[in-house]
Amino acid sequence: MSTLFLRTLRDDPADAEVPSHRLLVRGGYVRRVAPGIYTWLPLGLLVLRNVERVVREEMAAIGSQEVLFPALIPREIFEASGRWADYGDSLFRLTDRKDVDYLLGPTHEELFTLLVKGEYSSYKDYPLSLYQIQTKFRDEARPRAGVLRGREFIMKDSYSFDLSEEGLQASYRAHRDAYERIFGRLGFDYRIVFAVSGAMGGSASEEFLAPTPSGEDTFVQCTNCDYAANTEAVEIATPPAQDAAAVPASVVLDTPDTPTIATLVESLNGYDWAAAGVAEPPTFTAADTLKNVVLRTKAPGGEWELLVVGVPGDREVDMKRLAGQLEPVLVEQAGPDDLAREPGLVKGYIGPQLLSELKVRYLVDPLVVEGSAWVTGANAEDKHAAFVVRGRDFTPDGEIGAVEIRDGDRCARCDAPLQIARGIELGHVFALGRKYAETFGLTALGPDGKPVTITMGSYGVGITRAVAALAEQTHDESGLCWPREAAPADVQLVPTGKDAATLAEAERLAGELVASGIRVLLDDRKASPGVKFADAELLGVPTILILGRGLSDGLVELRDRKSGERRDVPLAEAVSEVRAAIAG
Ligand code: ATP
Ligand code: MG
């Protein structure tokens, strides 16, 4: 370590929001160049290369072959797939000296498809799986948390090419299994969750998430069965349809001064129901009100159109969840201009009774079940309507999972309570289908001489992100705590004595360990034992071997970084003890 290019820091970097960022900077693993742009220092690069090694080994094991594409891509290739426009501000665009447009690749579906099209033409060539480990560029709106969300980052992206649906399913399965081995070997605690496919369109789609409180992704897991989904894809149990036979006819109520759902509920429970002709009114809660939220949607190439979404009044609309389901159609809150174009919509008093007449598209959350009765707007200033029944007083155009999921919502599979947790997306497996093959005309000549369009899968792992996610999941209050496969070294040797003999013994032992194939970090710096111990904890090498006072009795101290367990072992057995620690 006296010659290692390393400076550990005592203080946290000012911009560090999460532990992994703090510790990777303090431990001298990475250094920031600009927002979302980082340099990897020797120790950091060792961890990064370990992640890559595990990924390469497991990709090879499923027969995927490595290639390497350029990051610099001509505009027309992304123009052909529509992503030059679709990627919007997240795409880094640049121009060459001849004024020709280029981009820096955010992912490489287009190039993989074109490459295979250029080389292969017969059904006999398939199936095929290719991957690369390469630097990607995305001008993320919020580069965050160090290398967790970078603007330049390393990704493993692979693609499978199959002739049939069954072939794609097998390729998808093989990748999913490989990912389980990759994240298992690297020492992750991970969950596989259902996901929606996002900007790429397609069917089967799952994410590998590392649960951690600082994760940006919210997901839902069942407390009973193995169902897990990200909040965009989650489905929750809904109550059974209701019989509305006993529900009174709907009535319009005067409800002045009820700007919020709380004030509306208060007014309902103090209402003169007898005067409204209702003999036995129920006690109302916010969950009995139907909130109608005005949004606008835009299909690719289309115009903005109004969409009203109805949810129980005690719930919020989850825009991310809606966006995930409507993709590639865009959705956002409607503005005053949108509302002004539809005078029939009375802000704050919108009720579904009128929407079909206005020809405004109306979708309800599945919690608004057939036969359920609601208090909702009466489409006039200061007026609400009660006992408005789905299927009797209004019929929505369809259903869409729109409510923000809560802890305790029920699992759609087994009805047990669901739990909300946060995680970091490590990887994504996704049955892409024929979208890119159709766009670029990737076909194979079948045995009957007819062309077959290839069906593809796309599979990503965030390599740089994995390093930070691992740090995030495994650190403790003293520092990093690398799992064995990812660690920059197997053992850190810490000679504490000031005498030359201790250092000489440490060097001899280091040589012996290296000779038996063990990766050693030797702290031969002229620093105090306190500094050396603190740095050993901070750097997080899994096994620490201390050569100190006990050396005169032929003893060294073996410490386990993770458990903190420490014991003296005879110097003569140090190598076999370290080997045993590595074997676990
Ligand atoms: P996110 O939702 O986190 O932005 P994504 O859905 O855009 O991710 P993909 O396009 O599926 O991600 O990319 C594959 C993998 O690349 C992700 O699972 C993630 O691990 C990694 N990744 C994506 N964006 C970044 C980034 N900005 N920095 C580091 N890694 C990233
Ligand atoms: Mg992204």
Side-chain angles (χ1 to χ4, degrees), residues 87-334:
Y87 241 102
D89 288 341
S90 298
L91 205 59
F92 277 105
R93 300 159 206 262
L94 61 165
T95 312
D96 73 3
R97 62 173 78 204
K98 294 187 186 125
D99 244 10
V100 178
D101 285 334
Y102 288 80
L103 63 103
L104 296 175
T107 65
H108 281 66
E109 280 77 358
E110 290 85 349
L111 282 102
F112 274 89
T113 313
L114 283 168
L115 178 71
V116 175
K117 179 183 155 127
E119 306 301 313
Y120 276 5
S121 56
S122 160
Y123 73 96
K124 292 180 199 147
D125 297 325
Y126 294 93
L128 171 69
S129 170
L130 297 175
Y131 79 97
Q132 65 171 341
I133 292 181
Q134 190 236 20
T135 302
K136 303 280 189 247
F137 298 86
R138 295 182 185 179
D139 195 359
E140 299 276 359
R142 257 178 14 100
R144 190 185 154 265
V147 295
L148 268 181
R149 179 173 297 283
R151 296 196 296 162
E152 170 175 330
F153 59 97
I154 300 175
M155 190 201 289
K156 186 284 299 180
D157 51 333
S158 43
Y159 301 86
S160 61
F161 302 85
D162 282 282
L163 295 164
S164 67
E165 209 50 53
E166 300 73 58
L168 171 56
Q169 269 169 31
S171 298
Y172 181 95
R173 193 73 221 178
H175 265 90
R176 191 182 190 274
D177 292 347
Y179 279 25
E180 292 211 60
R181 288 190 293 270
I182 290 168
F183 297 123
R185 281 179 62 184
L186 287 172
F188 276 107
D189 168 25
Y190 66 90
R191 305 278 183 284
I192 304 176
V193 311
F194 288 108
V196 281
S197 26
M200 302 180 185
S203 46
S205 174
E206 289 165 293
E207 287 170 357
F208 285 70
L209 298 185
T212 150
S214 58
E216 272 186 288
D217 287 41
T218 314
F219 71 102
V220 169
Q221 54 190 347
C222 180
T223 50
N224 174 52
C225 73
D226 63 3
Y227 178 75
N230 72 21
T231 43
E232 286 131 70
V234 65
E235 283 171 27
I236 57 175
T238 51
Q242 288 169 29
D243 178 6
V247 178
S250 72
V251 286
V252 174
L253 315 170
D254 280 314
T255 52
D257 305 322
T258 55
T260 62
I261 289 183
T263 49
L264 171 64
V265 169
E266 203 182 307
S267 143
L268 291 172
N269 287 327
Y271 205 78
D272 185 356
W273 287 99
V278 178
E280 287 175 49
T283 304
F284 292 90
T285 69
D288 299 311
T289 68
L290 178 63
K291 178 158 77 180
N292 297 296
V293 179
V294 190
L295 309 171
R296 59 178 201 163
T297 59
K298 186 156 109 75
E303 297 291 314
W304 284 106
E305 282 171 37
L306 284 181
L307 167 70
V308 177
V309 170
V311 298
D314 62 334
R315 298 274 192 158
E316 295 304 324
V317 168
D318 184 337
M319 289 303 288
K320 251 182 104 179
R321 197 174 164 214
L322 278 182
Q325 293 170 82
L326 291 171
E327 183 84 61
V329 172
L330 298 177
V331 61
E332 58 184 44
Q333 297 282 349

